Amino acid sequence: STVMAAQMTDAHRRFLQVLMSNGITEGSEARKLHQHCCETDKVYYAHDKLDDFISTINSHLQPLFMQIRKGISEDDGRAHYAVVNLAETEVTKMASDYTEMELELFRKTMDLIILSENGFASSTDILNLADQLNTKKMKKKEAEQVLKAFVEDKWLSEKNGEYTLHTRCIIEMEQYILSNYQDVARKCNICHSLAIQSQVCESCGIGMHLPCVRKYFRGQTEPRCPKCNEFWSCDTP
Amino acid sequence: QVSELVQFLLVKDQKKIPIKRADMLKNVIREYRDAYSEIVNKAGKTLQEVFGLQLVEIDSKRHTYILINNLPRAEGRYLCRDEEKEKMGLLLIILSFIFMKGNSVKDSALWEFLHLLQVNPGKQHQVFGDVRKLVTEEFVKQKYLEIIPIPLTDPPESKYQWGPRAEKEISKKDVLNAVAKIQGKDPTFWASQYSEAEA
C-alpha cells in the first residue's frame, strides 16, 4: 500500500518529546501516550494506528539519522519503544552522562555480558574489571556507584547480583553489537534479533530468547530443537 | 552538518544547561564556520518542525542558547516525570511569588515565604532533598532563576529574579491568572502585574 509521508502535528512532536525524555517506553504506555497526545492537540486518533503514527515521525527523523525503534524485552516478551540514534557509535549516547573511566567500565562490562553463556555478568567480575581499567583504576565503592547509575539510567538491569543489558540498551545498541561482536553475539533462532539472554541447544549451539522459547514450545510435552531435533535440554520457562 | 548540530543540541539540552556558540563551532560546525548562521537556522527550523522545540538565544553577548518547549502546555500526567513535576511545582510557586512582589525579592523574603510552605533550607525535604541547593544552584544553572548579590550589604544579601529560561518558557499571564484564581480576585486587581502580563 502506498503511504504518503504525513505531516508532523503537535501530537507527533509531543509524543516524540515524551519518548525521548523517558529513554524507553513500554508498549501499553506508548499506546496511552498516543491517545493522550492526539486528544491534547486535537488530532484525529485511531487506536490501532500507532504504527502509522510512529512511521510519520520516523520519516521526519530519518534525515537526522534517528529512529523510533521497537524492541522486545528479553524478560517478559513485551514490546518497548526507544528513540535511537543510528549514526552513533556505541556509547556516544552515554558520552554526555559519564566520564571516560565510567564508559570504559561499561564497554568492558558489555564484553563480559555478551561473551557469557547466559548473558549475565556477576558483580564480582565487574568489580574486578574496575580494578584493571586502562584509563584509571576505579575503587570498589566508586564502581558500585557507577553500576547503580547504569541501572538507574536503564543501560544495565540487575537480577540477584548479576547484571545484563537493559532492554533500552539492546534496542539502542543492537546494530553496534551485531557489527562489533559479529562472531560472538547470538541471534535468536526464532525471531532473528540479537539475543543477550538466551537458552542454547547443547547439541548444535543455536540460541533462543526465553520469551521466544516459551512461545515456540507452548503445549509441547517433548520440546525438541528446531534445528537439530535433539531434545531441548534446558527447562522451558 | 545540520543533523549533527540538531543531535548535539538535543543532547546538551537534555541537561538543561545552556549551549555556547563556541561549543557548537568547535564540536559540530568545525571547518564550516562560514556557513555557521545558515546551519544554525536550518537546525532551528528542524528542531521546531520535528520536535516542537525552539532554539532561543538568551545571551546575545556571550552567545548562549537554550531549547524551549514550544508545544502548547498539556494537562496532567505526561508533562514530565514525577520528580521533575514536583520540582516544576516548587519553581512555579517561587516564580509566582517573585512576579507578584514586583519581579525581584530579597533572599530573606523568599525563604520566609517558603518557610510558610514548610520548605526550609536547613532541613532535608522529603521530596526536594537539599532545597537550598535546588533553588540556588540547580534552578540558577538551568536559567530559571537569577540570583544577584546586593552590593554593600552586611551580612551579604541577594535578590532573586526570573531567569531567561523562565522569561521565555513561562507566561506571566498564566501566573497572574493562577494567583487571581487562588485569591478569588480579578487579575486586574494587581494593576502593574496585569499590565506587564498583558504586554
Side-chain angles (χ1 to χ4, degrees):
Chain A
S1 64
T2 47
V3 178
M4 276 187 357
Q7 287 283 64
M8 290 280 289
T9 65
D10 277 350
H12 294 95
R13 296 181 187 111
R14 194 181 299 278
F15 185 85
L16 177 57
Q17 278 192 21
V18 176
L19 237 64
M20 285 174 66
S21 80
N22 282 349
I24 183 167
T25 307
E26 195 260 327
S28 62
E29 278 302 307
R31 280 188 288 280
K32 275 191 229 151
L33 180 63
H34 173 213
Q35 184 174 12
H36 167 87
C37 291
C38 290
E39 283 170 7
T40 304
D41 295 297
K42 306 202 178 55
V43 165
Y44 173 69
Y45 171 69
H47 74 97
D48 57 347
K49 294 287 184 193
L50 177 59
D51 285 339
D52 286 349
F53 189 78
I54 290 179
S55 295
T56 302
I57 301 176
N58 276 340
S59 66
H60 286 81
L61 287 178
Q62 195 188 27
L64 303 171
F65 303 104
M66 293 169 72
Q67 190 185 54
I68 296 176
R69 184 172 287 181
K70 184 159 95 170
I72 309 293
S73 161
E74 293 189 332
D75 295 312
D76 57 21
R78 288 219 194 104
H80 289 73
Y81 294 89
V83 180
V84 172
N85 191 325
L86 300 171
E88 270 179 331
T89 55
E90 95 294 13
V91 287
T92 328
K93 173 100 188 199
M94 302 168 69
S96 57
D97 293 329
Y98 300 99
T99 65
E100 256 318 302
M101 193 166 67
E102 292 164 347
L103 292 176
E104 196 196 338
L105 180 64
F106 184 78
R107 276 188 219 107
K108 294 212 153 90
T109 303
M110 192 156 71
D111 285 347
L112 264 188
I113 290 171
I114 294 174
L115 294 169
S116 75
E117 271 285 313
N118 62 352
F120 280 89
S122 73
S123 75
T124 323
D125 288 340
I126 299 174
L127 294 175
N128 284 340
L129 285 178
D131 202 44
Q132 297 160 24
L133 294 180
N134 291 329
T135 31
K136 210 172 98 178
K137 273 198 182 143
M138 198 188 281
K139 297 195 200 72
K140 182 164 181 246
K141 257 218 173 344
E142 220 186 316
E144 283 171 352
Q145 289 291 66
V146 177
L147 269 181
K148 233 198 213 161
F150 288 153
V151 172
E152 250 169 45
D153 292 342
K154 305 201 174 126
W155 298 110
L156 295 178
S157 65
E158 187 256 336
K159 211 191 278 183
N160 302 328
E162 294 200 312
Y163 294 84
T164 186
L165 301 185
H166 194 282
T167 308
R168 177 208 189 167
C169 184
I170 297 175
I171 295 178
E172 297 223 21
M173 300 195 194
E174 182 171 9
Q175 305 294 50
Y176 168 78
I177 293 173
L178 287 174
S179 48
N180 284 52
Y181 294 87
Q182 228 169 23
D183 303 320
V184 194
R186 228 172 259 123
K187 271 198 186 179
C188 174
N189 194 262
I190 304 289
C191 70
H192 307 293
S193 301
L194 174 65
I196 300 293
Q197 296 176 55
S198 56
Q199 286 194 351
V200 178
C201 174
E202 275 182 6
S203 312
C204 68
I206 60 145
M208 301 203 281
H209 289 123
L210 280 72
C212 293
V213 168
R214 198 182 298 131
K215 254 193 266 179
Y216 185 76
F217 287 139
R218 192 176 296 163
Q220 293 186 32
T221 41
E222 284 186 5
R224 287 177 177 273
C225 172
K227 185 159 180 219
C228 69
N229 213 39
E230 285 298 314
F231 277 119
W232 191 256
S233 43
C234 316
D235 289 324
T236 48
Chain B
Q1 229 54 33
V2 174
S3 59
E4 239 185 280
L5 181 60
V6 168
Q7 283 180 16
F8 179 78
L9 292 170
L10 286 171
V11 170
K12 283 278 167 175
D13 188 70
Q14 223 181 4
K15 308 281 156 50
K16 289 222 175 129
I17 294 171
I19 308 143
K20 299 196 206 109
R21 181 171 79 170
D23 287 339
M24 287 197 263
L25 283 169
K26 186 172 80 169
N27 292 306
V28 183
I29 302 191
R30 298 181 304 256
E31 59 270 28
Y32 301 93
R33 283 185 109 83
D34 297 333
Y36 170 77
S37 338
E38 195 187 330
I39 297 175
V40 170
N41 277 337
K42 287 209 176 125
K45 283 212 181 85
T46 305
L47 285 164
Q48 176 57 56
E49 174 62 26
V50 181
F51 299 90
L53 298 171
Q54 194 184 357
L55 182 63
V56 175
E57 188 174 34
I58 52 168
D59 188 336
S60 48
K61 252 194 295 176
R62 283 174 234 150
H63 301 292
T64 45
Y65 297 82
I66 56 173
L67 291 183
I68 62 165
N69 192 340
N70 222 3
L71 295 176
R73 200 159 274 280
E75 299 291 305
R77 295 184 286 149
Y78 297 104
L79 189 53
C80 38
R81 288 197 306 262
D82 286 332
E83 191 197 304
E84 288 300 309
K85 220 196 300 200
E86 284 155 347
K87 285 187 189 168
M88 277 295 121
L90 179 63
L91 175 66
L92 281 173
I93 291 172
I94 295 174
L95 291 175
S96 305
F97 180 68
I98 296 173
F99 175 54
M100 298 309 286
K101 288 283 176 192
N103 291 318
S104 181
V105 297
K106 274 212 238 173
D107 52 3
S108 47
L110 178 65
W111 289 108
E112 225 172 85
F113 170 69
L114 290 178
H115 175 72
L116 294 173
L117 301 174
Q118 315 247 335
V119 175
N120 291 308
K123 313 195 189 97
Q124 275 283 83
H125 189 270
Q126 198 181 17
V127 174
F128 303 117
D130 186 340
V131 180
R132 182 173 284 282
K133 193 170 183 200
L134 175 62
V135 174
T136 60
E137 288 180 25
E138 194 172 326
F139 286 159
V140 172
K141 199 153 61 151
Q142 294 175 340
K143 302 289 178 185
Y144 280 116
L145 286 179
E146 237 167 41
I147 304 182
I148 303 165
I150 304 173
L152 305 174
T153 47
D154 184 31
E157 290 178 321
S158 325
K159 51 185 180 179
Y160 286 61
Q161 294 173 351
W162 284 37
R165 188 188 288 273
E167 294 279 351
K168 287 276 181 328
E169 282 189 8
I170 295 160
S171 136
K172 292 198 161 142
K173 193 165 176 183
D174 287 346
V175 170
L176 181 60
N177 286 337
V179 171
K181 199 166 172 188
I182 294 171
Q183 297 211 19
K185 297 196 171 89
D186 194 82
T188 50
F189 180 77
W190 296 271
S192 85
Q193 279 85 353
Y194 184 74
S195 56
E196 197 185 329
E198 290 295 306

